[in-house]
Amino acid sequence: CETLTEELKDKKIFVGRAQKKAERQEELTKKFEAFKMERLQKWQGVNLYVKNLDDTFDEEKLPEKFSEFGAITSLKIARDDKGVSKGFGFVCYTTPEEASKAIAALNTTMVGSKPIYVAHAQRKEQRRAQLERQYAQRASQRMQASIFPNGPMFYGGPNTMRP
């Protein structure tokens, strides 16, 4: 018993009631979702997505362009396995106001040889849903335009004047 106590001296041990696999998975899923939502709320409005970055751009050049709008808490350019830039990255500010200023000033500006796109970062599911709504709205507008090519037609009845 003494050797067991010596071995476990610096380690944490979890003691709890035995759970079935389904219970354990449900509990862990709830914890993960709560953590994900907390993190999402924390970074909502301050994390920016920047795309169409020039290949010559790196983590040293990006702050020069973005730091004039506020304090940057983190900055990351996505890279592949070989270390080559994927052409997009993320910039995180301390306040949503700073992030909004950066979006208004830098979106579609020329950086290097390309115009960059700057917007609030969104989760993949959220972005996909937004694009699907936009596509459906455009499709319905096209459908209405094909039904009424010259605009809507009105029938005024038998006693109305015709042009």
Side-chain angles (χ1 to χ4, degrees):
C1 194
E2 290 177 19
T3 58
L4 181 62
T5 307
E6 289 176 16
E7 288 179 24
L8 299 176
K9 210 175 241 183
D10 297 331
K11 297 180 182 176
K12 285 187 175 182
I13 299 175
F14 174 77
V15 179
R17 75 173 186 84
Q19 292 178 314
K20 292 182 179 178
K21 184 177 180 180
E23 285 179 297
R24 197 171 52 253
Q25 284 180 333
E26 184 179 337
E27 185 178 323
L28 289 173
T29 303
K30 285 180 183 177
K31 281 184 182 180
F32 176 73
E33 287 298 322
F35 174 74
K36 193 165 87 171
M37 291 306 292
E38 177 185 326
R39 193 175 61 191
L40 184 66
Q41 292 298 323
K42 181 180 178 184
W43 300 114
Q44 187 69 34
V46 295
N47 197 16
L48 300 182
Y49 171 70
V50 183
K51 76 174 182 180
N52 207 23
L53 290 173
D54 199 324
D55 295 335
T56 60
F57 239 61
D58 58 5
E59 275 86 0
E60 288 79 39
K61 291 182 183 178
L62 204 57
E64 294 172 8
K65 202 73 172 163
F66 284 85
S67 62
E68 64 186 77
F69 303 103
I72 296 174
T73 57
S74 68
L75 179 131
K76 182 72 175 168
I77 294 178
R79 300 192 178 281
D80 64 7
D81 297 338
K82 297 174 185 169
V84 179
S85 171
K86 290 184 174 181
F88 71 93
F90 298 91
V91 178
C92 190
Y93 285 96
T94 53
T95 65
E97 292 78 25
E98 295 170 345
S100 296
K101 281 190 230 173
I103 291 172
L106 293 176
N107 191 25
T108 67
T109 59
M110 292 295 287
V111 176
S113 62
K114 297 179 177 180
I116 61 170
Y117 169 82
V118 182
H120 287 288
Q122 296 175 313
R123 297 202 56 80
K124 192 180 282 188
E125 310 87 43
Q126 185 182 13
R127 176 78 176 142
R128 183 173 288 131
Q130 179 184 5
L131 289 172
E132 286 175 359
R133 283 193 305 272
Q134 287 176 350
Y135 178 75
Q137 184 179 16
R138 288 181 187 146
S140 70
Q141 288 174 347
R142 274 191 240 117
M143 188 67 123
Q144 287 176 351
S146 67
I147 293 172
F148 304 114
N150 298 328
M153 293 182 276
F154 297 100
Y155 178 70
N159 295 330
T160 58
M161 291 180 30
R162 293 190 175 171

